[in-house]
Amino acid sequence: MTYTQPRIILLFSGKRKSGKDYVTDLIQKRLTAEMCCILRLSAPLKRQYAKDHNLDYEELLGSGQYKESYRADMIRWGEMKRQQDSGFFCRLAIKHSIQPIWIISDCRRMSDVQWFREEFPGKCVCVRVEASEQTRSQRGWRFTTGIDDAESECGLDEGVKFDCIIRNDGADDILEKQLEDLLSLMKSQEEDSNTQNNIKPD
């Protein structure tokens, strides 16, 4: 493993078209790319899937019809890999990270959250991005059987206590306030983690 130990990790989740990438991009711009990196668990999955199936990796990274046409099969393939090793894609995603703040922009399953919490105790902040179905529809979302009812979309709907929930329905002033609250939470979490690490046993 060649990564540098992070100071704090933001674990983002949310439904399709909730605007996870938009929100995480805003946070990175605020913190700068030197301090903060965005890591996608889907990137190593897509790279390996493209290699195994002789597909265009760059197109799979996009948001167009090319990716959508392979999405269902890619989900099945990813599930098979995770059943063999739940941390497989997590380890690949963080492999070369050197910034002190990590944003995992696409946590989808309880096993993703558990892996990071176990590997980096006290450093994780769980963030949920939410948007109404009306807003998501305006962004191009349509319910698709086998995708929107699969674990990749529903795996974190229950059973996770989120440290922060961000509503992203298009009101920039409301979103701005929520981002400020998240940055304050990050600072507090980091201070708590440092305090714990500095406590020496008798």
Side-chain angles (χ1 to χ4, degrees):
M1 227 24 111
T2 57
Y3 64 80
T4 301
Q5 277 287 332
R7 294 199 328 240
I8 198 155
I9 305 171
L10 300 179
L11 302 175
F12 270 81
S13 69
K15 300 288 191 181
R16 289 197 301 142
K17 300 297 183 182
S18 61
K20 297 187 297 296
D21 289 341
Y22 177 70
V23 172
T24 54
D25 285 347
L26 286 177
I27 293 171
Q28 187 185 45
K29 285 175 185 172
R30 191 79 57 88
L31 297 172
T32 76
E34 289 73 32
M35 287 292 293
C36 171
C37 61
I38 296 176
L39 307 172
R40 294 180 173 86
L41 302 182
S42 59
L45 184 157
K46 290 170 182 174
R47 185 181 293 112
Q48 193 63 45
Y49 180 81
K51 185 177 177 183
D52 288 2
H53 296 81
N54 196 29
L55 299 173
D56 187 324
Y57 169 62
E58 294 298 328
E59 286 286 343
L60 287 178
L61 283 179
S63 57
Q65 188 55 43
Y66 187 88
K67 179 180 77 172
E68 294 304 321
S69 63
Y70 290 104
R71 184 190 283 269
D73 187 63
M74 194 159 50
I75 288 171
R76 285 190 292 270
W77 180 86
E79 294 301 336
M80 180 187 71
K81 288 287 187 184
R82 281 188 180 86
Q83 285 169 10
Q84 296 166 358
D85 177 1
S86 62
F88 180 75
F89 297 116
C90 299
R91 284 192 298 274
L92 288 177
I94 68 173
K95 199 170 181 181
H96 303 295
S97 304
I98 59 172
Q99 291 92 332
I101 300 171
W102 298 355
I103 296 176
I104 312 300
S105 68
D106 59 350
C107 289
R108 297 179 182 277
R109 297 159 183 80
M110 188 67 77
S111 61
D112 297 336
V113 173
Q114 289 172 338
W115 188 87
F116 279 100
R117 283 177 168 169
E118 289 170 6
E119 290 292 318
F120 305 98
K123 295 185 176 183
C124 297
V125 176
C126 273
V127 186
R128 182 74 162 182
V129 178
E130 295 185 346
S132 68
E133 287 196 2
Q134 180 181 355
T135 300
R136 292 166 62 212
S137 295
Q138 289 169 354
R139 294 171 182 161
W141 174 76
R142 298 292 180 272
F143 182 88
T144 305
T145 302
I147 293 175
D148 291 294
D149 53 1
E151 187 188 5
S152 58
E153 285 296 310
C154 304
L156 295 176
D157 285 359
E158 297 177 351
V160 179
K161 184 179 182 299
F162 293 105
D163 301 299
C164 179
I165 296 177
I166 293 177
R167 292 294 310 182
N168 182 31
D169 282 307
D172 289 342
D173 55 338
I174 295 174
L175 180 58
E176 179 68 24
K177 173 66 169 64
Q178 293 177 104
L179 294 183
E180 290 295 334
D181 290 344
L182 175 57
L183 292 174
S184 297
L185 177 63
M186 288 169 59
K187 186 176 180 182
S188 173
Q189 174 95 359
E190 189 177 351
E191 288 170 354
D192 289 346
S193 178
N194 290 339
T195 301
Q196 290 294 325
N197 289 338
N198 289 334
I199 295 174
K200 300 288 191 294
D202 293 333

